[in-house]
Amino acid sequence: MAHIILVTGATGTVGSATVKALSAAGADVRAGVRSLIKGDSLKRLPGVDLVEINFDRPESLAVAFTGVTTAFLVTPFVQNQVELAQKLMDAAQAAGVKHVIRLSASGAEAEPGIQLARWHRQAEDYLKGTGMNYTLLRPGSFMQNFANMYAHTIKESNTFYQPAGEGRVSHVDVRDIGDVAAEILLNPDEHNGKAYTLTGPQALSGNEVAEIFSRVLGRTIQYVDLPEDAARAAMQQQGMPDWMTESLLELNAITRAGFASGVTSDVQEILGRQPYTFEEFVQVYRDCF
Ligand SMILES: NC(=O)c1ccc[n+]([C@@H]2O[C@H](COP(=O)([O-])OP(=O)(O)OC[C@H]3O[C@@H](n4cnc5c(N)ncnc54)[C@H](OP(=O)(O)O)[C@@H]3O)[C@@H](O)[C@H]2O)c1
């Protein structure tokens, strides 16, 4: 029987890195995209087929999962993320998918944990209850957040702002998450029932991140530790909904307290190579900054 792999959220940060890794490994992959036009660049990769998938349209889920043996379920950071994840798992189970890999987040297992982690734990628990084989990927904060969220202030004023004090963070490069996901999608049985916490090779404070940016970009980049009230006001001014503002501020509070600094060897053990360093990330993404 053909081994059909589906990746949801394939135009997103983790989904696209995973589709690229699968294609580079010579695999055939079905990339689940909300918009075929947006997925066009993925379609050019060898072995990649696009399937239209809208999490709010059950009929699109049924089509996308038809014939799939292994699926990587990535859902966006939205208020009904648990419900979306459950819908995807229901569709996978109904279609007879054998193994599901779920993109979760570091700390999802911690009791009681923060709200962001509790949402992921709810989705993880639901997956365990389906009876499908599963693997959980729990990454820490993405290095690519700097390209996606902080690049404009680094470009405009050589500064990035975070309410994180001197709390160190073991940022992980999304290319490592994509490589790990691809490896597991291609060899699911070896990883059945396991949960991996994916981090970069070192934990860095905001000032240490700024030093790396300065060294690689050849100009001085500054980290500004925002007081929580100022961060809340800035988020509200950007029109961020309250549930998102408060859950991100809670994450920043535990980061400030040092709880985002754990470094694991899971990437090294699964890939047989070191994870990318923050320095390597900035070198490759330097045009963004
Ligand atoms: N950022 C971090 O540091 C971090 C750390 C740990 C865990 N996480 C977790 O990572 C996950 C997000 O992954 P990501 O950053 O790769 O996401 P992302 O870049 O925001 O991409 C989300 C993907 O979902 C698709 N999508 C959104 N709504 C959809 C819908 N209704 N129907 C079909 N597709 C839809 C998007 O399609 P379009 O391109 O068409 O919008 C996109 O492909 C979240 O669960 C988050 O908690 C993030």
Side-chain angles (χ1 to χ4, degrees):
M1 198 176 78
H3 180 55
I4 300 182
I5 295 171
L6 171 72
V7 176
T8 72
T11 50
T13 312
V14 174
S16 60
T18 305
V19 170
K20 282 176 197 158
L22 285 165
S23 171
D28 290 327
V29 53
R30 194 181 281 177
V33 296
R34 178 156 53 172
S35 141
L36 292 175
I37 295 172
K38 206 169 168 193
D40 199 50
S41 62
L42 293 174
K43 203 170 132 195
R44 293 166 220 249
L45 298 171
V48 177
D49 275 331
L50 298 189
V51 64
E52 235 177 329
I53 181 166
N54 187 323
F55 301 157
D56 301 312
R57 292 207 346 256
E59 66 284 7
S60 79
L61 299 183
V63 172
F65 279 104
T66 300
V68 169
T69 49
T70 315
F72 184 32
L73 303 188
V74 178
T75 45
F77 181 41
V78 290
Q79 193 168 18
N80 66 338
Q81 56 194 288
V82 177
E83 188 195 329
L84 290 186
Q86 290 173 344
K87 278 191 201 170
L88 287 173
M89 293 172 207
D90 289 345
Q93 192 176 24
V97 173
K98 300 266 175 303
H99 192 118
V100 163
I101 298 162
R102 159 84 188 147
L103 181 67
S104 183
S106 68
E109 74 286 10
E111 291 277 4
I114 58 170
Q115 181 59 66
L116 278 174
R118 283 196 293 276
W119 283 320
H120 278 296
R121 185 158 69 242
Q122 260 181 281
E124 289 188 354
D125 288 345
Y126 192 84
L127 175 56
K128 290 175 187 169
T130 63
M132 290 184 286
N133 289 351
Y134 69 86
T135 310
L136 306 172
L137 296 188
R138 296 176 180 150
S141 186
F142 303 165
M143 292 182 188
Q144 277 72 3
N145 292 344
F146 284 88
N148 296 338
M149 299 194 298
Y150 307 122
H152 64 287
T153 62
I154 294 177
K155 242 183 180 166
E156 283 164 19
S157 56
N158 295 321
T159 307
F160 63 94
Y161 303 84
Q162 283 173 336
E166 276 305 294
R168 287 198 160 78
V169 181
S170 51
H171 311 275
V172 59
D173 192 310
V174 167
R175 292 172 298 164
D176 287 326
I177 306 174
D179 285 355
V180 164
E183 173 63 28
I184 298 171
L185 287 161
L186 292 170
N187 302 289
D189 293 345
E190 291 172 28
H191 303 280
N192 183 23
K194 298 199 173 145
Y196 298 111
T197 297
L198 306 177
T199 73
Q202 59 188 150
L204 300 165
S205 68
N207 284 323
E208 288 165 342
V209 164
E211 275 168 31
I212 294 173
F213 269 117
S214 304
R215 194 163 58 240
V216 176
L217 299 180
R219 60 185 211 272
T220 302
I221 305 296
Q222 206 195 349
Y223 161 62
V224 173
D225 172 23
L226 270 190
E228 188 175 277
D229 285 349
R232 180 179 285 104
M235 289 166 166
Q236 285 167 345
Q237 206 179 3
Q238 287 164 24
M240 194 179 274
D242 287 348
W243 68 267
M244 191 181 274
T245 303
E246 294 310 321
S247 59
L248 289 175
L249 288 174
E250 193 186 16
L251 173 64
N252 281 304
I254 65 157
T255 300
R256 186 183 283 272
F259 288 109
S261 61
V263 171
T264 73
S265 56
D266 288 3
V267 171
Q268 161 82 50
E269 280 163 28
I270 295 166
L271 299 179
R273 65 160 176 79
Q274 280 288 314
Y276 293 111
T277 63
F278 201 90
E279 184 138 5
E280 287 168 317
F281 159 73
V282 181
Q283 278 159 358
V284 169
Y285 283 75
R286 63 184 309 143
D287 288 352
C288 298
F289 307 107

